[in-house]
Amino acid sequence: TENDVRWLPIHLWDECPSEAPSEEELQSNPCWGGVDLSSTVDLTAFALYWPDLKYSKVICWMPEARLREKRNQMIYGTWVSQGWICKTAGEAVDYNWVRSAIVEASETYNIQDIGYDPWNASHIAQLLQEEDGLPMVQFRQGMASMNEPSKALERMIVEKSFNHGGNPALRWMISNVCAVTDPSGNIRPDKS
């Protein structure tokens, strides 16, 4: 369900650009990545962001077993069939598939570095860095690290300059985000 108090008004999201840049533009401009691994059965995501284009491309994965659950068939099944979410075999997301996709993206795009939360991604980050030679950077999900990028995203959405590529899964996710603000005015998404 959508939150009663959203961080970002969904109508502003809907008014942002939604047409993906050409593959040539994406390949010729630098981008930065971020990976958020699921603990077991929720969505895993790998996002790329091109600052010069203000465009973000997000790849999500979910375990095939979750698609068999009736409550997930309608929404996730549609997004899988449309290519917005990739399914992996089994009961949990197969991190080998995720790793392969990240390596493939690094061979296609000019990725400067890839942020990851060390809480659940240290092993895959180590493999990506040591075996695949990718520039992995720890990014903790606290107020100090999340404030500046959260405000930058908020500003781009309010200005209607953020290009989300029309990704319906990403739209659903953003419609469920609440944010917390500390006494100094810093903000970050809030999972609680």
Side-chain angles (χ1 to χ4, degrees):
T1 61
E2 295 177 349
N3 281 309
D4 290 334
V5 182
R6 288 188 190 115
W7 169 34
L8 301 163
I10 200 67
H11 75 276
L12 293 178
W13 178 268
D14 291 339
E15 294 171 11
C16 286
S18 60
E19 188 172 322
S22 70
E23 202 54 35
E24 182 180 317
E25 286 178 287
L26 296 178
Q27 291 177 15
S28 63
N29 281 281
C31 64
W32 280 257
V35 63
D36 184 28
L37 298 181
S38 55
S39 53
T40 49
V41 297
D42 52 334
L43 290 173
T44 287
F46 174 59
L48 291 172
Y49 178 67
W50 286 261
D52 295 343
L53 306 173
K54 293 187 180 175
Y55 173 71
S56 184
K57 178 179 184 172
V58 180
I59 305 166
C60 293
W61 295 267
M62 71 178 307
E64 187 174 37
R66 289 282 317 272
L67 285 170
R68 291 192 295 266
E69 297 172 19
K70 194 171 206 160
R71 63 190 169 129
N72 293 328
Q73 287 174 357
M74 187 182 333
I75 194 161
Y76 291 131
T78 300
W79 293 336
V80 167
S81 67
Q82 294 173 343
W84 297 108
I85 295 178
C86 305
K87 63 180 178 180
T88 67
E91 299 291 323
V93 171
D94 184 340
Y95 291 162
N96 291 321
W97 292 33
V98 175
R99 179 180 171 198
S100 293
I102 293 172
V103 169
E104 184 179 327
S106 75
E107 294 167 351
T108 304
Y109 304 117
N110 184 10
I111 299 175
Q112 304 302 297
D113 64 42
I114 300 169
Y116 70 95
D117 185 349
W119 178 81
N120 196 37
S122 291
H123 179 69
I124 193 171
Q126 183 177 8
L127 293 173
L128 287 164
Q129 185 164 345
E130 293 176 6
E131 294 185 16
D132 303 317
L134 299 184
M136 304 301 294
V137 177
Q138 282 191 16
F139 187 88
R140 298 190 184 276
Q141 295 186 25
M143 189 67 80
S145 57
M146 296 291 288
N147 176 56
E148 188 176 334
S150 296
K151 285 185 175 178
L153 176 63
E154 183 177 53
R155 185 172 35 261
M156 285 187 292
I157 292 171
V158 168
E159 293 171 351
K160 301 174 191 154
S161 63
F162 179 75
N163 186 337
H164 48 66
N167 184 330
L170 191 57
R171 181 188 187 276
W172 174 75
M173 290 177 213
I174 205 75
S175 76
N176 285 290
V177 176
C178 287
V180 292
T181 305
D182 71 11
S184 299
N186 298 307
I187 61 170
R188 70 168 172 79
D190 182 37
K191 291 184 179 184
S192 63

